[in-house]
Amino acid sequence: GQNIDQPTEMTATEGAIVQINCTYQTSGFNGLFWYQQHAGEAPTFLSYNVLDGLEEKGRFSSFLSRSKGYSYLLLKELQMKDSASYLCAVREAGGRRALTFGSGTRLQVQP
Amino acid sequence: DGGITQSPKYLFRKEGQNVTLSCEQNLNHDAMYWYRQDPGQGLRLIYYSQIVNDFQKGDIAEGYSVSREKKESFPLTVTSAQKNPTAFYLCASSLDPGSAGTGANVLTFGAGSRLTVL
């Protein structure tokens, strides 16, 4: 089985940088995903890490350390529209190919 | 444009009734999934299917049933055996979860169906 932990809520200021952490425990690992979900809407894909290191995509970056079972999502130059929930999800190696999601981190961006 | 269509968007059910949520995709994806989301929580896997005529139980399959007779369609039935069915239901698909590479693993979600039991 898998256990994925994220902070429940975070608050940040417009224009600032925020880091959302995710720790996981899994019997096998085959990739970590970050999704953004606005209230009442479907999640949308942000980033994917399968090897250690940093993946950068515009204002968003994601980092992975497989040995530590740790990832973070970094959001730069925060905008009001970034207020949303951010979901960390892990894909196991082997038979089960569906993603297992954490409970999500609700980010509130303030003016 | 390709995508995933879920219907209905909102559904009300009386206790004891079965309801079926529709999920159709025209992305030519092999795998399809059903997740449930409760307020303030993450997504929990109900069922998934990696190929036509085959599906597997997820973490919370009790009280639900699915079928995968066509590649494009993966309907979910919420039966009267599901004791707390009020939730937001999300259908998703991916190209081929057995393949390497980001594109094969990324889930594309439908807009969701919100079920309320009266």
Side-chain angles (χ1 to χ4, degrees):
Chain A
Q2 301 191 56
N3 187 35
I4 302 173
D5 290 315
Q6 306 178 233
T8 303
E9 291 187 7
M10 298 183 71
T11 303
T13 304
E14 191 176 14
I17 300 173
V18 70
Q19 178 175 311
I20 302 174
N21 296 325
C22 173
T23 58
Y24 64 89
Q25 295 174 314
T26 180
S27 54
F29 176 83
N30 196 11
L32 187 142
F33 296 75
W34 283 96
Y35 283 80
Q36 181 191 60
Q37 185 180 26
H38 285 97
E41 298 181 8
T44 55
F45 170 72
L46 288 178
S47 69
Y48 168 72
N49 297 72
V50 67
L51 299 176
D52 291 350
L54 188 68
E55 293 283 341
E56 297 187 79
K57 190 183 294 186
R59 294 190 299 115
F60 294 2
S61 304
S62 58
F63 172 82
L64 175 68
S65 169
R66 288 173 295 170
S67 63
K68 296 182 179 179
Y70 168 68
S71 174
Y72 68 73
L73 180 69
L74 194 70
L75 291 73
K76 303 175 186 176
E77 302 170 14
L78 280 172
Q79 302 175 10
M80 298 300 290
K81 68 178 182 179
D82 297 329
S83 293
S85 288
Y86 292 86
L87 308 177
C88 173
V90 173
R91 182 169 178 263
E92 281 186 22
R96 172 159 156 157
R97 294 170 173 174
L99 298 185
T100 300
F101 285 81
S103 296
T105 299
R106 189 161 57 248
L107 174 66
Q108 181 70 40
V109 179
Q110 297 180 338
Chain B
D1 287 337
I4 299 180
T5 301
Q6 290 187 239
S7 63
K9 188 171 179 67
Y10 297 96
L11 183 63
F12 297 89
R13 188 194 95 173
K14 293 181 180 179
E15 285 193 23
Q17 288 182 333
N18 292 357
V19 293
T20 297
L21 308 180
S22 170
C23 179
E24 302 279 333
Q25 54 100 359
N26 60 3
L27 299 166
N28 199 32
H29 283 176
D30 292 306
M32 297 186 75
Y33 313 82
W34 276 104
Y35 286 90
R36 167 182 171 143
Q37 188 173 35
D38 293 284
Q41 298 190 27
L43 281 63
R44 291 185 290 167
L45 182 66
I46 304 173
Y47 269 98
Y48 63 104
S49 168
Q50 295 171 155
I51 195 169
V52 175
N53 292 322
D54 186 47
F55 49 83
Q56 287 79 41
K57 292 182 178 180
D59 299 317
I60 55 166
E62 185 176 352
Y64 299 97
S65 65
V66 293
S67 63
R68 186 85 187 277
E69 297 177 1
K70 300 185 300 182
K71 186 175 184 177
E72 302 80 17
S73 179
F74 192 40
L76 173 74
T77 296
V78 184
T79 75
S80 57
Q82 170 49 238
K83 297 306 178 187
N84 187 21
T86 295
F88 187 46
Y89 291 88
L90 286 160
C91 178
S93 69
S94 64
L95 185 60
D96 177 1
S99 297
T102 304
N105 290 289
V106 172
L107 299 187
T108 300
F109 284 88
S113 293
R114 191 168 298 279
L115 172 64
T116 302
V117 173
L118 303 174

